[in-house]
């Protein structure tokens, strides 16, 4: 679909399909714009609701991850203390070299496993926090787009603004609104935001 302006200022621009064989029926552009703004507002309201619900769950999950990471750090500290005691036992002749090697190998493997788990928790936590930050930053961005859209004067500026947040918009109209009491908004509009899923 593309915008078709008219030379007369009293005639509003329309949204038409440039393909002559296309069965999609045109609409006045301002009506489509209004519906698009309305769809964005509805989508934003739903997004905020889902974000707030899932944000609580994500915060709880992050608290659990942080608690688990702290527990693992304590375990690593304990294992390192055990390892230091082994060196003392070896130096004082309590452990033979073979006993020391066997015990230290077991403790070092435990430390390595704990460090791997700690790295996994840290990575997950960092990814969660980054994702939450990105999702939260979308809300003011979309609010700004909705507020700014009607203040822009050129179709090109409006198009650039919409493309900053939308991957695409589909439009479908199968019935002409030619009768006096017919509905000019009898079209289907689907928006596809360029936004991370919650």
């Amino acid at each position: 679909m593309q915008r078709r302006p008219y030379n007369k200022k009293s005639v509003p621009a329309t949204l038409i399909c440039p393909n002559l064989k296309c069965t999609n029926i045109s609409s006045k552009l301002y009506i489509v714009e209004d519906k698009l703004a309305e769809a964005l507002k509805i989508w934003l309201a739903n997004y905020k609701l889902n974000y707030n619900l899932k944000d609580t769950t994500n915060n709880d999950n992050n608290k659990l991850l942080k608690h688990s990471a702290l527990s693992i750090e304590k375990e690593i500290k304990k294992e390192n203390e055990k390892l230091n005691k082994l060196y003392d036992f070896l130096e004082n002749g309590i452990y033979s070299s073979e006993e020391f090697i066997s015990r230290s190998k077991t403790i070092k493997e435990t430390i390595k496993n704990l460090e791997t788990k700690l790295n996994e928790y840290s990575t997950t936590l960092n990814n969660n926090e980054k994702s939450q930050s990105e999702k939260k930053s979308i809300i003011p961005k979309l609010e700004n787009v909705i507020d700014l859209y009607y203040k822009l004067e050129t179709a090109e500026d409006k198009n650039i603004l919409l493309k900053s947040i939308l991957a695409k918009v589909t439009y479908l109209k199968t019935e002409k609104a030619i009768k006096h009491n017919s509905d000019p908004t009898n079209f289907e509009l689907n928006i596809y935001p360029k936004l991370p899923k919650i």
Side-chain angles (χ1 to χ4, degrees):
M1 300 300 287
Q2 67 183 29
R3 177 179 177 268
R4 180 186 176 189
Y6 290 93
N7 291 332
K8 290 182 180 179
K9 289 191 176 183
S10 60
V11 180
T14 56
L15 188 69
I16 65 163
C17 179
N19 183 348
L20 296 175
K21 294 181 181 178
C22 180
T23 57
N24 213 351
I25 297 167
S26 64
S27 286
K28 290 187 176 18
L29 183 61
Y30 75 90
I31 295 173
V32 178
E33 287 178 307
D34 290 346
K35 282 291 184 184
L36 180 59
E38 185 183 322
L40 285 170
K41 286 175 186 174
I42 291 168
W43 188 92
L44 179 60
N46 289 331
Y47 185 88
K48 282 180 181 178
L49 180 65
N50 287 334
Y51 174 81
N52 290 333
L53 289 172
K54 292 193 177 182
D55 188 44
T56 304
T57 304
N58 289 338
N59 285 337
D60 291 344
N61 288 342
N62 287 348
K63 283 178 188 175
L64 285 171
L65 280 170
K66 285 177 184 176
H67 179 72
S68 297
L70 283 173
S71 297
I72 290 173
E73 285 172 357
K74 287 178 184 175
E75 287 295 317
I76 291 171
K77 187 177 178 183
K78 282 181 189 175
E79 293 300 317
N80 278 319
E81 287 170 0
K82 285 183 191 176
L83 193 57
N84 286 334
K85 284 182 184 176
L86 285 181
Y87 286 105
D88 290 342
F89 290 160
L90 179 66
E91 289 170 6
N92 293 327
I94 297 170
Y95 276 173
S96 67
S97 296
E98 292 81 18
E99 287 174 312
F100 171 78
I101 291 168
S102 173
R103 292 279 298 146
S104 65
K105 184 179 176 185
T106 303
I107 292 172
K108 285 177 183 177
E109 282 178 12
T110 302
I111 291 171
K112 185 180 175 183
N113 291 337
L114 288 168
E115 285 175 343
T116 300
K117 195 173 276 192
L118 182 62
N119 285 337
E120 287 173 8
Y121 286 167
S122 296
T123 301
T124 303
L125 190 58
N126 287 338
N127 289 341
N128 286 354
E129 288 174 350
K130 183 181 174 186
S131 177
Q132 278 181 272
S133 175
E134 287 173 359
K135 289 169 186 172
K136 189 174 184 178
S137 71
I138 287 161
I139 294 169
K141 182 179 179 181
L142 193 52
E143 287 172 334
N144 188 43
V145 166
I146 293 168
D147 291 340
L148 187 59
Y149 184 79
Y150 286 106
K151 294 175 185 171
L152 296 175
E153 293 182 15
T154 69
E156 184 182 5
D157 288 342
K158 288 179 177 182
N159 197 26
I160 290 168
L161 183 67
L162 288 177
K163 283 183 175 179
S164 73
I165 58 157
L166 293 171
K168 68 177 179 176
V169 176
T170 61
Y171 164 92
L172 178 64
K173 185 172 182 178
T174 56
E175 290 181 30
K176 290 184 179 182
I178 50 175
K179 294 180 183 173
H180 179 65
N181 60 351
S182 58
D183 181 10
T185 65
N186 66 341
F187 54 82
E188 187 179 305
L189 205 60
N190 294 304
I191 61 170
Y192 298 87
K194 285 182 187 172
L195 306 171
K197 293 179 182 175
I198 300 180

